[in-house]
Amino acid sequence: MIRVEGIVKRFGAVTALQDVSFTAADGRITGLLGHNGAGKSTALRVLSTVLRPDAGRAQVDGHDCVTEPLAVRRSLGVLPHASGLYANLTGRENILYYGRLHGLAGAALQRATDELIERLELGAVAGRRAKGYSQGERLKVALARALIHRPQTLILDEPTSGLDVTAVRMLRDLLRELRALGRCVLFSSHVMQEVAALCDDIVIIAAGKVVLRGTPRQILEQTGTSDLEEAFVRASARVAPTQGAPA
Amino acid sequence: MSRTVASVFLKEIIENLRDRRVVLSAFLFGVLLGPVLFAAMMSTVSNRTARIQDQPLELPVAGSAHAPNLLAFLRENGVDVQPVELSESQAIEAVRDGTYNLVLIIDEDYGERLAAGSPAPLRLVVDTANSRTAPESARARRLLDGYGAQLAALRLMSRGMSPQIVQPLDVRNIDVATPAGRSLLLMGMITYFCLMSMLTGGFYLAIDTTAGERERGSLEPLLTLPVARSELMLGKMLATAAFMAISLFLTLAVFGVALSFVPLEALGMSANFGPQVILAMFGIMVVFVPLGAGLLTVVASFTRSTREAQTWLSLVLLVPAAPIMMAVFTGTKPTTALMAVPSLSQHLLATSLLRGDPIPPLHIAVSLLTTLAAGAVLSWIAVRLYRREAILG
């Protein structure tokens, strides 16, 4: 469960987020949709406690991102924009390292790692060093790493960019599976089809503001179109993109 | 040490041991460079000294027919007299262009004046600007003076006087230098090389764990894990410190092996460099490791890329080296106040150890405390730097 209320984040003179509020519920997949530089990554970074908001409140599973960052990180799995794997460690070692830093150890850690390697069909590559991985293999290991502690909430930053069709399907199946388990999934994208194919709820963000949010059906109704892509373009255009923000 | 710190430490060690560039620079090039350079330098010096002492002095003599007794004296004293036909100007030219190292010119009237009791003229053509031939010139000069003294003594005795009458002074040197002390300058280089290879050992780790991790995008997910940044930083610095300590130990061990092949005794030196001294040197210098690791990490944390980090760290390597170089060339003696200067105190203590000088326990205590305190301060700064948001770049 993610609850964001009136978040503001400035980098020097640039305001990346101004008064952003939305929620992402358990058992649902929520898409954070916006153009490049709209503030998606900044919002996710505030949630993952890497950035502190200048104003407003962000909560993950009832824990405040500013006052209880460790509790937030414990219930959060994060898939960053760059996979950030360690090239000289094997896939398995990458997963184990994150497991250990989450406080797992011994047989429990090995079991959790084996399960994820099996579920993500990483058996053939888990023993190889990450430097030779394909884009899809990197994503799978990064996903396994983010899920090693069975987080209640998972946030993913542009997870599908640069992936082939098979990898995208694998990812969708996995996210639906997590939804069925009652987890909260929030992912960002700048591709409307991507969000439409998967999401129960959509939050459209433009120039650091939430311009529209709701189920796909509600969004179509609010913009008066029958096409989600058209709805996205119209909603984004409501806010003149006068201010850029770092991606 | 918490489990988190241990996990980070182990992961950094394993990852960097798999990086060939890191391992080669930390444990091979950095370790071998100093001892090999040093041993080669010492071998050259000591071989030359040995050669000069063992070989007969080659002395070209012009006008050799005029002084048969002098030449007999020189031959008795191991001089290889080589009669040559040269005028004074030719002899000067020959020494100047290096054909001969030195030339002795005996004048035609040498015998005549000697017999008459007036000073008999000899001219020794030497080049004092040439340090290579200086020992030969000095040796020839000593022999000639000795022959003169011998003649003077004979003359006095033939007149019934004691030769001591012209020796009002009896000056003798009492040399207090221990054989190891004479090699102070060269021994000073050992601590310099050890310190450099120690820092080189941590060089890539300090960069990889900070600027490198940020550049590869692995820092951000790491910071979303439920661990304190101070623990991450501690594990990383400990890994850097471990590499530095291993580099230092290997360098000292290689020095021990390399110096056993150098005939130091031929130089009148003895290197006090057994296994016990190596361990003691390690104990003295390893105290610098936390300070070095903190320094490298702090500087690397400020930089935006690995390339920038390499540039800055190369400069930072010179900072601890500077006091050592100063001390080596000015022959600084250890004092309690100087023990408060990290890197200099390790150098002075290690040098005393090599010389076999006694070391006051107070010096060890001051060196230990000040260096460890400076290391703690720098490590604390490094941890603080990681609490900033800007660390993500």
Side-chain angles (χ1 to χ4, degrees), chain A residues 64-96:
Chain A
D64 189 278
C65 290
V66 175
T67 55
E68 308 165 83
L70 287 184
V72 168
R73 291 185 219 157
R74 251 176 241 123
S75 66
L76 201 61
V78 180
L79 187 84
H81 185 51
S83 72
L85 296 184
Y86 296 106
N88 277 322
L89 297 185
T90 66
R92 191 184 176 83
E93 286 168 338
N94 267 292
I95 302 168
L96 287 172

Side-chain angles (χ1 to χ4, degrees), chain A residues 12 47 54 65 80 94 96 98 100 110 127 137 141 147 149 155 162-163 185 187 194 214 221:
Chain A
L47 283 171
D54 294 313
C65 290
N94 267 292
L96 287 172
Y98 269 45
R100 288 195 189 99
Q110 298 299 333
E137 287 160 352
V141 174
L147 294 171
H149 57 300
I155 60 183
L163 289 184
V185 178
F187 80 92
E194 192 54 55
E221 283 168 5

